[in-house]
Amino acid sequence: MVSKQNTLPILNNILFEAKKSGLSLSATNLEIGVQTKIGAKVEKEGKITIPARIISNFSNNLPAGENISLELSGQSLKIKSGTVKAVIKGLLADDFPLIPKKKTEPLFNIGSLELKIVISRALTSVAYNEARQELTGVNIILDQGYLFFASTDSFRLTENKLALNKINVNKENYEIFAKKNNNLIIPSATLTEISRLISGDIDAPVKITIEDGQIFFELESIIIVSQLINGKYPEYQHIMPKEYKTRIVGEKNLFQSAVKMASVFASGKTGEITLKIDAEAKKILVSSMSQDTGENSTELNFDITGPSQEVVLNSKYLLEGINTISTSKLALLANSEATPLALREINEQTGEVLNDYTYIVMPIKN
């Protein structure tokens, strides 16, 4: 995590700091800071900042299995690994910005693999228009029974809720903090960095601490600190229907393929496709039409309860929602052509519609 702007050249650098306890590396763009520690035999303490691009490209090409020797020489870092040597010019470490350190204990721990899924879902509907900065982040609500992660760009909305009894919570600190401030906004860029750091197959606890307008994530030897977005997130829960008149359950892959094909023939910038839900025939027709490309329709035999419906949706938004569903079957929930359509997962064993994750997409009103 280094700055992409050149207003402060040192922000393009990584801080190398050798202490008796080992070697620590730090980087920041003034909004997000990253620190990690590496086991090393330190003969002499010292620190310097080195351009991230150069050290990254150089280290990626070093021979595997060789020890690396680092030596500070004035404003340069001498590196030796096997038969490879390099001298990289750096900048004085005294000018490197201080990265905040947490003062309190973590509020809760979340398994890294579960957090990666939650982040992936939340980032799907984050807004990238900075005119409303609060929508560029992910809203976290610290509730008594659940931890909510939500995001919206006004066209679609995701909500993921984690039961507190299923994660490791510091109950006393959590309750004290939640009474003061239970509604926070984390920048999407921060969560993107967290997701990148999480390995795809190793589950480890991520310790999360919140204090003084900042949030800290600890994953093994890595600490990420980020500023929180200062603002009020929209009261999104009032647009989420409490009940749905029509429920459609079917194979995710079949519905996904039908929407993909319909999107090819969808017209206009909104990529309009139509879902015609026939409750009596237990069929759903996914169709689209364009004067330029032609037309397409796919008929699916799904389990349908409730009245027939017809709704027009943005194919891109609907498809991105389908992609976040991790179960083999999904549920479509609808009330009318003018109200939001919801996607939810299905319990593979019981067939129950799960409500811990909801993806909402707004209809296109013709």
Side-chain angles (χ1 to χ4, degrees):
M1 170 51 61
V2 295
S3 176
K4 294 181 180 180
Q5 300 180 7
N6 295 320
T7 52
L8 290 173
I10 202 164
L11 297 183
N12 295 318
N13 287 15
I14 296 174
L15 173 64
F16 283 67
E17 193 167 7
K19 297 180 179 179
K20 292 181 179 179
S21 58
L23 178 66
S24 68
L25 308 180
S26 305
T28 182
N29 63 3
L30 299 182
E31 294 179 354
I32 307 172
V34 181
Q35 291 183 312
T36 187
K37 290 185 177 180
I38 300 172
K41 179 183 177 182
V42 177
E43 297 179 356
K44 184 178 180 181
E45 294 186 345
K47 55 185 178 179
I48 190 173
T49 73
I50 297 298
R53 182 182 59 83
I54 295 176
I55 190 65
S56 176
N57 291 339
F58 174 74
S59 60
N60 285 339
N61 289 287
L62 286 175
E66 295 283 355
N67 288 330
I68 301 174
S69 171
L70 305 177
E71 180 184 349
L72 184 61
S73 177
Q75 281 188 233
S76 297
L77 184 67
K78 293 181 178 180
I79 304 175
K80 182 179 179 181
S81 179
T83 59
V84 179
K85 296 180 181 180
V87 178
I88 303 176
K89 294 182 179 179
L91 295 174
L92 292 176
D94 294 341
D95 297 328
F96 194 81
L98 290 175
I99 295 179
K101 298 186 181 297
K102 68 184 186 72
K103 305 168 187 174
T104 58
E105 294 298 314
L107 291 182
F108 46 84
N109 300 352
I110 301 177
S112 59
L113 298 185
E114 183 171 24
L115 182 60
K116 191 178 182 73
I117 292 172
V118 170
I119 290 173
S120 175
R121 289 170 170 172
L123 293 179
T124 303
S125 55
V126 163
Y128 292 95
N129 182 358
E130 295 188 2
R132 296 187 64 186
Q133 189 183 20
E134 64 275 10
L135 295 185
T136 66
V138 173
N139 185 210
I140 292 188
I141 299 175
L142 284 67
D143 192 58
Q144 289 186 348
Y146 293 92
L147 191 62
F148 291 88
F149 290 77
S151 65
T152 181
D153 59 5
S154 300
F155 301 106
R156 62 263 180 87
L157 181 153
T158 60
E159 183 191 68
N160 219 118
K161 59 181 183 180
L162 303 179
L164 293 184
N165 59 10
K166 294 184 179 180
I167 61 176
N168 189 352
V169 179
N170 185 326
K171 293 183 179 179
E172 183 178 353
N173 287 3
Y174 182 93
E175 290 175 1
I176 293 172
F177 185 89
K179 286 179 181 178
K180 295 179 182 178
N181 184 11
N182 73 332
N183 201 307
L184 312 165
I185 309 173
I186 304 177
S188 58
T190 302
L191 294 177
T192 299
E193 290 299 322
I194 296 293
S195 182
R196 286 173 54 188
L197 289 172
I198 295 174
S199 173
D201 54 359
I202 300 176
D203 197 17
V206 180
K207 301 175 183 178
I208 300 175
T209 306
I210 308 169
E211 59 185 32
D212 300 329
Q214 296 172 328
I215 186 165
F216 296 80
F217 296 86
E218 296 178 67
L219 175 59
E220 297 179 326
S221 62
I222 301 172
I223 299 177
I224 290 185
V225 56
S226 168
Q227 296 178 358
L228 295 170
I229 293 176
N230 186 19
K232 181 175 175 58
Y233 206 81
E235 297 285 345
Y236 71 86
Q237 290 180 334
H238 75 278
I239 71 168
M240 298 181 68
K242 302 298 181 185
E243 297 179 349
Y244 295 91
K245 296 177 182 177
T246 303
R247 186 189 73 176
I248 307 99
V249 175
E251 294 292 331
K252 170 192 166 181
N253 290 343
L254 292 178
F255 187 57
Q256 189 177 45
S257 296
V259 173
K260 282 183 178 179
M261 284 188 286
S263 68
V264 174
F265 296 86
S267 63
K269 293 182 179 179
T270 56
E272 296 180 14
I273 65 171
T274 302
L275 303 185
K276 291 184 180 180
I277 303 159
D278 189 336
E280 292 184 7
K282 302 291 184 183
K283 296 180 184 293
I284 177 170
L285 185 70
V286 183
S287 63
S288 61
M289 180 183 296
S290 169
Q291 291 182 347
D292 297 327
T293 56
E295 58 185 77
N296 163 260
S297 65
T298 303
E299 190 176 79
L300 302 171
N301 295 311
F302 279 7
D303 180 48
I304 300 172
T305 56
S308 298
Q309 304 274 2
E310 182 173 333
V311 59
V312 179
L313 300 166
N314 180 304
S315 58
K316 176 179 180 290
Y317 295 158
L318 179 58
L319 192 57
E320 288 180 349
I322 297 170
N323 292 340
T324 65
I325 300 296
S326 61
T327 53
S328 62
K329 289 188 176 182
L330 54 72
L332 300 172
L333 306 170
N335 282 320
S336 72
E337 64 178 10
T339 57
L341 179 95
L343 300 179
R344 285 182 177 162
E345 296 185 326
I346 299 292
N347 185 300
E348 304 280 1
Q349 282 75 38
T350 65
E352 175 191 4
V353 178
L354 304 175
N355 65 359
D356 55 348
Y357 171 62
T358 304
Y359 181 94
I360 295 278
V361 58
M362 300 301 293
I364 298 172
K365 300 175 184 178
N366 291 326

